[in-house]
Amino acid sequence: MDAALNPLLADWSAPHALPAFDAVRPEHFRPAFEAAMREHRAELAAIVADPRRNFESVIVAFDRSGERLARIEALFYNLTASATTAALQAVQREMAAPLAAHWNAVRQDASLFRCIDDIWQRRRGLELDAEQQRLVERMHQDFVRAGARLEGEQRERYAAVVQRLAELTTAFGQNVLHDESDYMLELRDDAAAAGLPRFVRDAAAQAAADRDLSGRMVITLSRSLVLSFLTFSHHRDLREQVWRAWVGRGERPGEHDNRPIAREILALRREQAALLGHACYADHALADTMALTRERVWALLDEVWQRAVPAWERERELLLEAMRAAGVDHVLQPWDWRYWAEQVRQSRYALDESELKPYFALDAMVRALFDCAQRLFGLHFTHRPDLHAYHPDVHAYEVSGQDGAVIGLFLHDNFSRPGKRSGAWMSALRWQHRNAAGGGRSQPIILNNNNFAKAPPGEPTLLSLDDVRTLFHEFGHGLHGLLSDVGYNRLSGTKVLRDFVELPSQLFEHWAQEREVLQRHARHHATGEPLPQHLIERIEAARRFGQGYETVRYTASAIVDMAVHERCEPVDDIVAFEAEVLARRGAPPAAGLNHRLVHFQHLFSGSGYAAGYYVYLWAEVLDADAYEAFVEAGDPFDAPTAARLLQHIYSRGDSVEPGATYRAFRGREATLEPMLRDRGLIN
Ligand SMILES: [Zn+2]
């Protein structure tokens, strides 16, 4: 293909240098990737050939290199996650190995590493500022962790392992998506929908319409639909069916079975860790975190686990009581939990999700996000309907700072649809830094993806409290990307240590629960009435109910993750291994866990969260402690506290060691108590 005709290789000339979404076709990617990889290799050769061998010619130049490849990759991964097609998936399978090989070759480039290593050795004498020192250290560590110090056969084997892992993790994610898209339960008549509130029926009708089954109702494995169905459906047998399909993702024998894939991933990770001199994969993963050691992770998980199980047992008592009162005498199974929890919630706290939902219209909650960002950080979000992304449901907003200058672009993609993976996440098409070609500022383009069930045309999409928290969570990540104010790409936005990365997102969830925010933004979509005071009080009273269940499910998943990644021996049967670990811990079967290994995408769709699922809890210790600073100040929008938060957390990226920057914000280390209290695990 003529490069001039490939929109991926042309200059991106749309406003904000957005990609030409309309013109990009799946067949453009392969030639574009190949050209961009060639260009990147040439840039790296120029770095090695540059006789200066100084910070500028090596470190700064490397940080700036590969810009074209990075932006094509960013676009590609955004499309494969949010708007994939069979053709894009084919490109994804085809390109996984060559791309991994390219990046591996970069990290294994011995002459390039010699240049970086040379600067690293001499870094203290180079008159670099603190951020530049940090850049040299992070960059050097990236290479060492990727095997740059290996030689000969070991080097080759390492490259082969990494390449194979890339193929396997891609297949793992596609298998989960396959099982999710493959399943649906049709509710054949009104009786089959018994118990489902209006918003669940609407979502089920919309899911049917998306599958060309207009006029019918289906339950798919979209997370919000599954959880709603399990919460409300009166049909225990149907709940069990949906629950089994949900927890069985990735475990069906045949070509989409994730068991052999996970087994091979684990074996390769053990080998990878051994090549780098670590006893197990967990040690390798944790060497690049705030926690640093398994002992510190286990200390946190053990502490929380021993408090979580009794909290769960107290909740179970309430559920059993409700079952007895209703004359139900069957065993409380995992597919019953949410249903009876909802009964308890309604009777004990009179909190009825369908009574609450009308106050939480998506549009109003998006306004709440922007309002909080304005009050805390002085940001303004301007909707730009003229800017088009990859799907009509994606809204583009121009973001400007206190002085009115535009600082970036925010793309909000809120609805679930076929071809979009489940879950919620933040990503970037471009990162903030001041190291663009010519020394210019690179403006961030940040995306938030959610998977809310879209209301029928003309009706507002209404969110559950859980959805609202997710919306705020991802927006916290988004702010971490948008507010980034660093010199170098490598240190930008959310490219921080992974047990720090959930601090800005989880911290932002706290504002979703603030009275002041609820009073202002949670208004009835039809009447405009504010959320009544008695409902606010009940939300607050009910907040801790269910925390035992959630904490057990989360911690159980984190425990399985650590256990499977600290093993030195092969894991022949991941299903049996998981069951064994849970049994040894006395994990209650009726609680289940957030993710079973067979579809645990955090662990196996990439390596980002392998031996790292604990990071949410680690960061929660930080976010609960950080929010206390506003509580102590007596104002959720206290200006001096917000200014410190911006300066030391949201704008810092990875330019400062996270422990140090946290202490700079808080004036001390974080303590465990606020997290335990928030979860109702201590009084
Ligand atoms: Zn997150």
Side-chain angles (χ1 to χ4, degrees):
M1 181 183 303
D2 185 348
L5 297 177
N6 189 329
L8 292 170
L9 294 171
D11 279 338
W12 295 5
S13 55
H16 291 275
L18 274 170
F21 288 107
D22 294 345
V24 172
R25 302 277 169 269
E27 61 270 24
H28 291 142
F29 279 101
R30 188 182 185 112
F33 275 132
E34 283 166 354
M37 287 192 280
R38 266 197 308 280
E39 183 179 304
H40 191 207
R41 280 192 292 272
E43 288 170 332
L44 300 180
I47 293 174
V48 173
D50 193 318
R52 290 179 294 165
R53 297 283 165 107
N54 58 24
F55 176 76
E56 198 61 34
S57 79
V58 176
I59 305 294
V60 174
F62 182 72
D63 186 69
R64 188 179 293 160
S65 71
E67 193 274 334
R68 189 192 296 274
L69 179 56
R71 76 182 183 186
I72 297 171
E73 276 193 296
L75 171 61
F76 183 66
Y77 293 130
N78 274 291
L79 291 177
T80 55
S82 303
T84 200
T85 59
L88 270 177
Q89 287 190 322
V91 180
Q92 198 179 8
R93 281 191 299 273
E94 190 184 27
M95 290 311 298
L99 281 170
H102 173 81
W103 285 110
N104 194 53
V106 173
R107 300 272 184 248
Q108 302 277 327
D109 182 332
S111 11
L112 179 61
F113 179 64
R114 266 196 302 279
C115 296
I116 290 171
D117 193 46
D118 172 54
I119 305 286
W120 180 76
Q121 307 272 0
R122 298 189 286 119
R123 67 195 181 282
R124 306 240 183 265
L126 290 180
E127 295 186 8
L128 303 176
D129 67 25
E131 181 175 352
Q132 293 169 333
Q133 289 278 357
R134 175 92 181 154
L135 177 64
V136 174
E137 273 160 28
R138 297 301 294 152
M139 205 177 268
H140 187 262
Q141 164 128 315
D142 290 343
F143 274 81
V144 171
R145 289 179 63 75
R149 281 181 171 155
L150 297 175
E151 309 215 329
E153 258 173 49
Q154 287 197 324
R155 169 178 285 255
E156 273 163 39
R157 179 59 193 155
Y158 192 86
V161 166
V162 168
Q163 194 156 335
R164 179 70 183 142
L165 278 171
E167 291 166 2
L168 290 166
T169 51
T170 303
F172 188 95
Q174 289 190 352
N175 286 344
V176 177
L177 184 60
H178 168 271
D179 284 2
E180 284 175 2
S181 322
D182 201 36
Y183 178 88
M184 66 178 187
L185 169 74
E186 187 177 351
L187 305 176
R188 294 193 181 277
D189 49 33
D190 215 48
L196 303 184
R198 172 79 196 281
F199 75 89
V200 184
R201 289 166 189 249
D202 287 347
Q206 185 60 43
D210 285 344
R211 281 157 187 76
D212 296 325
L213 298 170
S214 284
R216 292 150 77 175
M217 277 191 284
V218 299
I219 301 302
T220 66
L221 294 186
S222 124
R223 186 182 151 82
S224 61
L225 212 42
V226 168
L227 298 190
S228 298
F229 190 78
L230 292 175
T231 304
F232 296 110
S233 172
H234 288 337
H235 292 286
R236 189 168 189 244
D237 55 335
L238 297 184
R239 290 203 308 265
E240 181 177 352
Q241 271 185 43
V242 168
W243 183 86
R244 288 192 186 282
W246 177 242
V247 302
R249 288 168 299 145
E251 200 184 2
R252 291 191 224 152
E255 58 167 328
H256 297 287
D257 190 345
N258 269 338
R259 287 172 293 187
I261 293 177
R263 186 166 61 220
E264 191 179 346
I265 290 173
L266 290 166
L268 291 171
R269 282 182 181 158
R270 276 196 305 280
E271 191 178 347
Q272 189 183 14
L275 282 166
L276 297 176
H278 293 290
C280 62
Y281 188 80
D283 284 354
H284 165 63
L286 293 172
D288 193 35
T289 61
M290 255 180 109
L292 276 177
T293 64
R294 278 187 271 155
E295 288 66 30
R296 292 184 71 194
V297 174
W298 280 124
L300 174 64
L301 294 179
D302 289 343
E303 171 86 30
V304 170
W305 180 255
Q306 54 149 332
R307 294 175 192 278
V309 175
W312 176 85
E313 279 163 356
R314 289 193 293 275
E315 286 168 11
R316 185 187 51 179
E317 283 313 311
L318 297 176
L319 268 57
L320 292 174
E321 206 178 287
M323 289 168 72
R324 276 193 299 274
V328 169
D329 63 356
H330 62 64
V331 176
L332 180 65
Q333 295 286 3
W335 49 88
D336 299 319
W337 187 280
R338 287 176 196 275
Y339 180 80
W340 288 102
E342 181 63 18
Q343 307 295 317
V344 171
R345 195 173 281 122
Q346 286 187 23
S347 65
R348 234 179 133 82
Y349 304 101
L351 250 199
D352 174 349
E353 280 272 329
S354 49
E355 191 186 346
L356 285 177
K357 276 199 151 196
Y359 294 93
F360 294 96
L362 173 62
D363 291 352
M365 290 301 105
V366 170
R367 281 196 294 277
L369 295 178
F370 295 167
D371 185 40
C372 289
Q374 197 267 319
R375 296 172 78 185
L376 288 165
F377 306 125
L379 295 183
H380 290 274
F381 288 74
T382 311
H383 188 205
R384 289 281 309 262
D386 56 313
L387 298 181
H388 299 287
Y390 49 87
H391 190 279
D393 284 345
V394 184
H395 288 273
Y397 300 89
E398 209 163 59
V399 187
S400 48
Q402 222 132 24
D403 57 2
V406 172
I407 62 161
L409 198 67
F410 178 62
L411 302 179
H412 218 181
D413 182 354
N414 284 317
F415 299 120
S416 84
R417 58 177 173 261
K420 179 167 170 180
R421 76 172 171 86
S422 58
W425 65 95
M426 169 271 198
S427 59
L429 286 171
R430 197 169 56 223
W431 296 95
Q432 179 279 332
H433 56 83
R434 291 184 291 275
N435 191 25
R441 183 178 196 272
S442 165
Q443 299 266 44
I445 303 178
I446 301 298
L447 290 97
N448 269 183
N449 268 278
N450 289 296
N451 260 291
F452 306 134
K454 191 180 178 182
E459 288 180 39
T461 293
L462 303 178
L463 305 182
S464 67
L465 290 177
D466 199 38
D467 293 336
V468 173
R469 268 192 297 278
T470 303
L471 186 77
F472 273 71
H473 178 100
E474 296 310 328
F475 191 68
H477 283 307
L479 289 176
H480 199 194
L482 289 165
L483 289 166
S484 175
D485 185 17
V486 300
Y488 302 98
N489 192 359
R490 171 61 186 86
L491 307 175
S492 181
T494 58
K495 298 182 191 184
V496 293
L497 300 187
R498 64 184 180 176
D499 45 6
F500 189 75
V501 73
E502 298 299 331
L503 165 59
S505 52
Q506 295 184 168
L507 178 56
F508 210 72
E509 292 177 39
H510 290 266
W511 280 279
Q513 305 174 350
E514 266 305 327
R515 270 180 184 225
E516 210 183 316
V517 175
L518 292 174
Q519 279 158 350
R520 188 187 285 213
H521 296 285
R523 288 173 177 271
H524 196 283
H525 70 87
T527 66
E529 289 294 309
L531 185 65
Q533 195 62 27
H534 73 276
L535 282 182
I536 293 186
E537 276 157 26
R538 282 189 215 151
I539 290 174
E540 287 171 358
R543 186 169 299 151
R544 281 176 193 160
F545 174 70
Q547 286 290 313
Y549 177 68
E550 296 298 339
T551 309
V552 162
R553 286 169 58 84
Y554 167 85
T555 312
S557 292
I559 286 171
V560 170
D561 167 33
M562 283 302 293
V564 84
H565 282 112
E566 74 173 7
R567 241 178 102 88
C568 304
E569 305 82 39
V571 183
D572 293 325
D573 180 345
I574 59 162
V575 174
F577 178 83
E578 176 178 277
E580 229 173 77
V581 170
L582 295 173
R584 214 170 32 240
R585 285 279 179 162
L593 57 178
N594 275 358
H595 308 277
R596 295 187 54 230
L597 286 173
V598 280
H599 49 245
F600 208 155
Q601 302 213 59
H602 292 79
L603 273 47
F604 298 122
S605 287
S607 61
Y609 285 85
Y613 194 59
Y614 79 89
V615 301
Y616 296 95
L617 192 60
W618 186 274
E620 197 176 318
V621 174
L622 300 176
D623 77 66
D625 185 72
Y627 198 72
E628 285 281 303
F630 287 94
V631 175
E632 287 161 14
D635 176 0
F637 296 98
D638 180 63
T641 311
R644 283 204 311 279
L645 188 63
L646 174 63
Q647 184 190 353
H648 298 294
I649 308 289
Y650 280 90
S651 70
R652 260 325 85 221
D654 195 27
S655 63
V656 185
E657 190 274 312
T661 208
Y662 189 83
R663 284 189 298 276
F665 161 64
R666 198 65 169 101
R668 57 162 177 75
E669 303 272 347
T671 60
L672 212 56
E673 283 69 26
M675 181 276 284
L676 294 174
R677 221 180 313 118
D678 276 0
R679 284 192 171 245
L681 302 178
I682 56 172
N683 288 318

